[in-house]
RNA sequence: GGAGAGAUGGCAGAGUGGUCGAAUGCACUGGUCUUGAAAACCAGCAAGGAUGCAAGUCCUUCCAGGGUUCGAAUCCCUGUCUCUCCGCCA
């Protein structure tokens, strides 16, 4: 959510920034609506003041006649107030609805571009694994191992769901534990268990609503929705709160399942762990002072990078261009891992600095009790990482000619002594 | 699901029609005292908005939405949520 005062004072800058997202001159309409709102607000307040003054004049000493005429005066004012208030309320709502649909401003660091083709690869880490055979994709590997079962998944829930068994299920759990351990023990994030069903307000707070409802699953219970990412409940931990400045920075990590309808992705990655309606993800969220958010962003990038390096994977960092940038973000770096079975890099993490865009939407504020100053903090989020896609990366990068898969060193202590996943004869 | 109680500032908690944006305590900030600290004492301390160079002035807000009234934190209705007891359940 944008600050209306900022828009008024920085019309050009505002429009220029949004033009990078291919949005044309939104400030004009916003300012017009705001003017109309203010006009009615001022009238409402003036009448309100007059009414308050009259109300205070009532006293037991007054004659009946005086009371009757005073009441008459008040009732005339009441009508005027009601008329103007309903107008100003209407304008306010309209203004607000418009503001809620405008994406965040684009940071200067964000490269300008139209779509993902204009994204900027800033760094490549690690080397592509060399195979003396043609590497298979994760789906083939998993099914050959009898550890990925799509017949069962389809029977239970349909397409875009997975059934993961035995040692591969253990690997799934190992990854979650590894990532949460390192996030808490080494990176100083606080682990949080958090609801995976959230209210509409929470989704408005982080920016998924009102615009992107069709990407989400909505339940028929109250107004609860399944979360598309733990960013939603984690960032909303402090919705409508005033946080004491001395508590910053706040760093939270959480494992949750994430649910996405994948409405716009028909035909893409229909089977397997790449693009599911339900997937596990360990998330990082930071809340910082505005001046520190880019430093915190670099720190977050370091955290994610450390994990990928410990898993000994070949990956690259990609700066998203303005046209590919998410609604709430002003600067985003994606991590992409080389997937030998697909012969391309695939996204496994996305780290964004949302600045004060989300904190404004959810009225999360910070107070400096030393000088009384109140301000909106910056919020950042990043995946560390999408578990399903990391399984894909491990299967494809650590596969061997005989179809078995080696467990990366760092995960061995989480794998009950299993060092290699072999094709197995399971009872189901 | 049944019965009852409740929702007030960062927290706790008073407040049943005007003098209430709201007692008091804690926390916090500044000051006095002290070598320093603690204690004690004094003072300050809600948010959002309009207007103004500023000081200030004004409007709104005591869970939310309606209503009664000249006037509502206070009375009435509806909704949401929380707590206690019972039932059920992991």
């Amino acid at each position: 959510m944008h600050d209306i005062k900022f828009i008024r004072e920085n019309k050009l800058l505002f429009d220029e920034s949004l033009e990078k997202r291919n949005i044309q001159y939104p400030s004009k309409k916003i300012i017009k609506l705001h003017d109309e709102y203010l006009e009615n607000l001022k009238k409402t307040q003036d009448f309100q003041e007059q009414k308050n003054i009259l109300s205070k004049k009532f006293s037991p000493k007054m004659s009946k006649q005086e009371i009757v005429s005073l009441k008459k005066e008040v009732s005339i004012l009441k009508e005027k107030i009601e008329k103007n208030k309903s107008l100003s309320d209407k304008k306010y709502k309209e203004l607000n609805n418009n503001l809620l649909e405008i994406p965040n401003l684009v940071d200067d660091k964000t490269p300008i571009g139209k779509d993902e083709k204009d994204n900027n690869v800033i760094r490549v880490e690690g080397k592509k694994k060399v195979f003396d055979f043609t590497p298979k994709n994760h789906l083939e590997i998993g099914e050959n191992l009898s550890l990925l079962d799509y017949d069962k998944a389809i029977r239970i829930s349909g397409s875009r769901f997975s059934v993961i068994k035995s040692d591969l299920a253990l690997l799934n759990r190992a990854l979650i534990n590894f990532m949460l351990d390192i996030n808490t023990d080494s990176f100083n994030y606080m682990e949080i268990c958090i609801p995976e069903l959230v209210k509409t307000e929470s989704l408005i707070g982080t920016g998924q609503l009102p615009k992107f409802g069709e990407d989400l699953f909505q339940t028929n219970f109250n107004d609860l929705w399944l979360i598309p990412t733990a960013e939603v409940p984690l960032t909303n931990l402090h919705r409508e709160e005033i946080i004491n400045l001395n508590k910053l920075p706040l760093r939270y990590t959480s494992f949750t399942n994430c649910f996405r309808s994948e409405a716009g992705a028909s035909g893409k990655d229909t089977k397997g762990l790449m693009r599911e309606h339900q997937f596990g993800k360990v998330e990082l969220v930071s809340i910082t002072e505005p001046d520190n958010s880019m430093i915190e962003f670099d720190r977050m990038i370091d955290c994610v990078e450390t994990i990928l390096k410990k898993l000994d994977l070949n990956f690259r960092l990609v700066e998203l261009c303005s046209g590919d940038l998410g609604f709430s973000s002003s600067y985003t770096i994606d991590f992409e891992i080389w997937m030998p079975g697909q012969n391309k890099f695939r996204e496994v993490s996305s780290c964004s600095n949302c600045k004060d865009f989300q904190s404004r939407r959810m009225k999360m504020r910070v107070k400096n009790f030393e000088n009384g100053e109140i301000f909106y903090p910056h919020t950042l989020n990043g995946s560390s990482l999408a578990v399903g896609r990391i399984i894909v990366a491990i299967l494809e990068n650590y596969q061997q000619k005989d179809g078995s898969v080696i467990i990366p060193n760092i995960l061995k202590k989480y794998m009950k002594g299993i060092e290699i996943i072999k094709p197995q004869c399971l009872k189901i």
Side-chain angles (χ1 to χ4, degrees):
Chain A
M1 176 88 105
H2 296 286
D3 179 8
I4 183 71
K5 280 186 190 157
F6 177 86
I7 299 176
R8 298 193 78 109
E9 286 161 19
N10 303 277
K11 248 188 280 186
L12 268 177
L13 204 147
F14 182 79
D15 284 345
E16 270 170 27
S17 188
L18 286 165
E19 200 166 2
K20 296 177 186 170
R21 294 198 191 242
N22 306 316
I23 296 169
Q24 304 277 309
Y25 314 113
S27 72
K28 204 176 162 191
K29 187 177 178 189
I30 294 294
I31 291 173
K32 185 171 170 269
L33 276 170
H34 190 233
D35 283 339
E36 290 169 355
Y37 162 66
L38 284 185
E39 194 188 324
N40 287 299
L41 179 72
K42 180 131 185 39
K43 282 189 199 160
T44 308
Q45 291 191 352
D46 287 347
F47 291 136
Q48 194 77 252
E49 185 180 356
Q50 289 175 41
K51 184 188 147 212
N52 288 344
I53 291 167
L54 289 186
S55 281
K56 279 178 190 153
K57 281 192 186 166
F58 278 86
S59 101
K61 293 173 195 162
M62 291 167 83
S63 71
K64 273 188 182 172
Q65 275 176 338
E66 282 173 311
I67 289 178
V68 168
S69 77
L70 244 188
K71 281 189 182 182
K72 210 175 215 172
E73 268 187 82
V74 171
S75 78
I76 291 166
L77 279 171
K78 270 170 92 172
E79 262 176 49
K80 288 184 180 171
I81 289 167
E82 210 167 306
K83 201 175 123 202
N84 281 287
K85 189 171 186 306
S86 73
L87 259 172
S88 79
D89 283 355
K90 199 182 137 200
K91 288 295 171 192
Y92 184 78
K93 256 185 202 161
E94 206 178 331
L95 173 66
N96 214 39
N97 290 343
N98 273 273
L99 280 173
L100 282 175
E101 300 222 344
I102 299 175
N104 200 357
L105 295 185
V106 174
D107 188 87
D108 289 340
K109 273 172 83 177
T110 297
I112 296 167
K114 211 175 152 194
D115 53 37
E116 61 184 46
K117 287 173 204 122
D118 298 322
N119 290 345
N120 180 25
V121 176
I122 52 178
R123 195 143 53 83
V124 183
E125 294 288 340
K127 280 186 182 153
K128 283 181 187 147
K129 290 230 163 78
V130 181
F131 295 90
D132 57 0
F133 59 96
T134 309
K136 296 183 168 71
N137 71 43
H138 82 279
L139 197 56
E140 224 175 318
I141 301 166
E143 289 190 320
N144 286 345
L145 290 166
S146 307
L147 296 178
L148 274 180
D149 190 335
Y150 285 93
D151 294 340
K152 292 245 183 322
I154 284 165
R155 185 186 307 167
I156 300 165
S157 303
S159 67
R160 289 199 197 284
F161 287 94
S162 297
V163 169
I164 306 175
K165 298 180 191 171
S166 188
D167 289 355
L168 201 56
L170 179 61
L171 178 65
N172 181 72
R173 184 149 55 95
L175 278 166
I176 297 165
N177 287 334
F178 161 59
M179 295 190 288
L180 284 175
D181 278 355
I182 196 168
N183 287 343
T184 53
D185 299 343
S186 304
F187 305 149
N188 205 22
Y189 282 82
M190 186 197 290
E191 183 174 354
I192 310 264
C193 271
I194 201 134
E196 294 178 17
L197 286 163
V198 296
K199 297 177 186 178
T200 301
E201 289 161 88
S202 297
L203 287 156
I204 291 173
T206 34
Q208 283 78 13
L209 290 178
K211 251 190 134 174
F212 307 103
E214 61 175 29
D215 297 335
L216 307 171
F217 288 109
Q218 185 170 25
T219 71
N220 59 7
F221 181 76
N222 291 347
D223 72 332
L224 290 177
W225 305 66
L226 287 161
I227 56 169
T229 160
E231 168 200 343
V232 178
L234 282 180
T235 313
N236 275 283
L237 276 172
H238 299 287
R239 178 156 49 87
E240 285 170 55
E241 246 185 59
I242 297 180
I243 305 165
N244 191 326
L245 172 64
N246 65 25
K247 291 191 178 153
L248 297 190
L250 292 164
R251 299 192 179 105
Y252 299 124
T253 186
S254 190
F255 168 79
T256 67
N257 283 303
C258 304
F259 303 89
R260 299 184 184 177
S261 72
E262 297 298 342
S266 58
K268 266 194 234 166
D269 306 308
T270 47
K271 193 175 170 187
L273 298 169
M274 281 306 299
R275 191 179 299 277
E276 301 178 278
H277 287 313
Q278 173 191 324
F279 63 96
K281 181 157 65 68
V282 175
E283 183 78 1
L284 301 172
V285 162
S286 296
I287 299 168
T288 75
E289 287 178 68
D291 288 346
N292 296 340
S293 71
M294 272 308 179
I295 296 165
E296 181 71 16
F297 184 83
D298 291 340
R299 185 184 186 277
M300 188 179 270
I301 293 290
D302 272 353
C303 296
V304 176
E305 194 168 338
T306 302
I307 292 175
L308 288 173
K309 281 182 175 161
K310 282 186 187 288
L311 289 169
D312 198 17
L313 291 161
N314 171 216
F315 63 92
R316 64 184 193 184
L317 283 74
V318 180
E319 230 173 20
L320 295 199
C321 77
S322 55
D324 202 24
L325 201 62
F327 182 79
S328 298
S329 178
S330 80
Y331 182 68
T332 295
I333 285 182
D334 277 4
F335 286 82
E336 299 180 346
I337 301 182
W338 178 252
M339 304 286 194
Q342 302 165 51
N343 209 33
K344 55 184 163 189
F345 282 94
R346 300 297 307 263
E347 178 191 339
V348 292
S349 171
S350 189
C351 298
S352 299
N353 185 350
C354 299
K355 305 215 175 143
D356 63 358
F357 187 76
Q358 293 180 324
S359 58
R360 280 181 192 284
R361 288 172 85 95
M362 63 179 75
K363 296 186 179 67
M364 163 167 62
R365 287 155 297 172
V366 170
K367 181 164 182 173
N368 180 345
F369 280 89
E370 287 184 23
N371 60 16
E373 192 192 354
I374 286 176
F375 58 90
Y376 290 95
H378 284 191
T379 63
L380 303 91
N381 64 79
S383 9
S384 108
L385 308 137
V387 183
R389 289 190 177 183
I390 294 296
I391 292 177
V392 173
I394 290 173
L395 290 178
E396 296 194 7
N397 281 284
Y398 284 87
Q399 62 180 304
Q400 302 191 95
K401 202 169 188 173
D402 64 0
S404 64
V405 175
I406 295 171
I407 299 296
N409 274 325
I410 192 79
L411 295 177
K412 280 179 182 163
K413 66 176 171 188
Y414 294 97
M415 286 296 288
K416 301 182 184 177
I418 296 169
E419 300 201 345
I420 183 164
I421 299 179
K422 293 178 181 161
Q424 23 203 288
C425 189
L426 295 176
K427 282 177 188 155
I428 59 149

